[in-house]
């Protein structure tokens, strides 16, 4: 069965400092991995994805994520946080070997960037 | 380029009633997925529609049903509403024939059950 774990309910970081939001996953076969961001009273916005290839993927707004197959992790990173990055972040996984229909989301991590 | 649109934005119902939520996918998309997001939780997959058929279903009872129309828009129907059905219902669209594509989400319908 597919699952996603985001071990931190909240991450606090000062503006200008690097940030990391952690994600580990479990899936049969090769995973498709995604990060989404949600602002208050809005739907989810796509940030980046890993399908295959280079383990370091770059996405929107300066975010990047590193795929680590041995640790089954896909942590979200940004070199320098902005106050406007404060939001709810979701990691998601989809199994590629079942046609990729069902996407499983983590419980979310709230990022708070302090000025 | 219109994104995913959902209606209504808010809805209040009482236990036992039935509700229909609507979704129009992003232009060019042919696949619609529905999710339930309870307060403080991540979205939970309800089901996905492609070519007017339910392609996959999550762990939701038969009270939850859906439909996809020839123009790719979709409806989510929930019968015999329970207090626990109170949540944000999200619709997401994508290109069904292409693996690994991200989903585009609407802003959701917030359903409150009294």
């Amino acid at each position: 069965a597919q699952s996603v774990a985001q071990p931190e309910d909240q991450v606090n970081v000062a503006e200008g400092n690097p940030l990391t939001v952690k994600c580990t996953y479990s899936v049969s076969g090769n995973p498709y991995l995604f990060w989404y961001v949600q602002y208050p009273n809005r739907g989810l916005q796509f940030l980046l994805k890993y399908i295959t290839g280079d383990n370091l993927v770059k996405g929107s707004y300066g975010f990047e994520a590193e795929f680590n197959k041995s640790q089954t992790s896909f942590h979200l990173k940004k070199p320098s946080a902005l106050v406007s990055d404060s939001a709810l972040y979701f990691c998601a996984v989809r199994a590629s070997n079942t046609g990729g229909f069902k996407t499983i989301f983590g419980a979310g991590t709230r990022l708070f960037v302090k000025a | 380029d219109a994104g995913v649109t959902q209606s209504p934005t808010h809805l209040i119902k009482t236990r036992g009633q039935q509700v229909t939520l609507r979704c129009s996918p992003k232009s060019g998309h042919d696949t619609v997925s529905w999710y339930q997001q309870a307060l403080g939780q991540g979205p939970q997959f309800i089901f996905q529609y492609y070519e007017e058929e339910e392609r996959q279903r999550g762990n939701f009872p038969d009270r939850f049903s859906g439909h996809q129309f020839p123009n790719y828009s979709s409806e989510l129907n929930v019968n015999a509403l329970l207090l626990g059905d109170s949540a944000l219902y999200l619709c997401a669209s994508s290109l069904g024939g292409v693996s690994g594509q991200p989903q585009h989400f609407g802003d959701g319908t917030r359903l409150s059950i009294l």
Side-chain angles (χ1 to χ4, degrees):
Chain A
Q2 300 165 228
S3 65
V4 175
Q6 294 182 242
E8 301 152 317
D9 291 335
Q10 181 164 315
V11 169
N12 299 306
V13 64
E15 188 174 35
N17 283 359
L19 69 87
T20 298
V21 182
K22 295 179 181 178
C23 170
T24 59
Y25 67 90
S26 174
V27 67
S28 298
N30 294 320
Y32 296 151
L33 294 159
F34 305 85
W35 276 100
Y36 290 85
V37 60
Q38 186 176 33
Y39 296 97
N41 301 313
R42 299 300 300 274
L44 278 66
Q45 295 178 29
F46 168 72
L47 282 179
L48 50 78
K49 67 178 180 181
Y50 172 82
I51 304 300
T52 187
D54 195 349
N55 289 342
L56 184 66
V57 294
K58 296 187 182 296
S60 306
Y61 313 117
F63 283 95
E64 57 189 29
E66 186 167 11
F67 171 64
N68 187 315
K69 187 173 183 178
S70 63
Q71 297 185 4
T72 61
S73 67
F74 189 56
H75 300 331
L76 181 70
K77 301 181 180 184
K78 187 174 182 180
S80 178
L82 299 172
V83 172
S84 58
D85 292 331
S86 299
L88 189 56
Y89 290 81
F90 291 99
C91 180
V93 66
R94 190 187 304 163
S96 61
N97 62 348
T98 60
F101 304 147
K102 181 177 179 179
T103 301
I104 301 300
F105 286 82
T109 298
R110 188 165 300 281
L111 174 65
F112 181 70
V113 181
K114 184 177 180 181
Chain B
D1 181 18
V4 179
T5 57
Q6 293 186 242
S7 63
T9 55
H10 294 84
L11 204 51
I12 299 175
K13 293 285 188 178
T14 57
R15 282 179 297 173
Q17 285 189 311
Q18 177 267 341
V19 68
T20 297
L21 310 181
R22 295 176 176 83
C23 171
S24 292
K26 177 180 169 66
S27 178
H29 285 181
D30 57 6
T31 301
V32 172
S33 301
W34 286 93
Y35 293 86
Q36 180 194 67
Q37 186 179 18
L39 201 61
Q41 297 183 22
Q44 301 291 314
F45 177 79
I46 302 175
F47 42 52
Q48 183 180 91
Y49 277 85
Y50 174 67
E51 294 186 342
E52 302 181 52
E53 297 284 336
E54 183 183 290
R55 185 157 69 169
Q56 191 164 9
R57 189 180 184 90
N59 295 324
F60 280 81
D62 293 344
R63 297 186 298 110
F64 290 78
S65 63
H67 189 76
Q68 186 177 35
F69 298 94
N71 67 353
Y72 308 121
S73 67
S74 177
E75 291 182 347
L76 165 65
N77 301 293
V78 187
N79 295 322
L81 287 166
L82 304 174
L83 292 178
D85 295 333
S86 294
L88 179 67
Y89 288 84
L90 295 166
C91 169
S93 73
S94 57
L95 275 171
V98 183
S99 293
Q101 288 299 302
Q103 295 175 303
H104 293 250
F105 283 80
D107 287 339
T109 295
R110 185 160 298 282
L111 176 63
S112 299
I113 311 301
L114 303 179

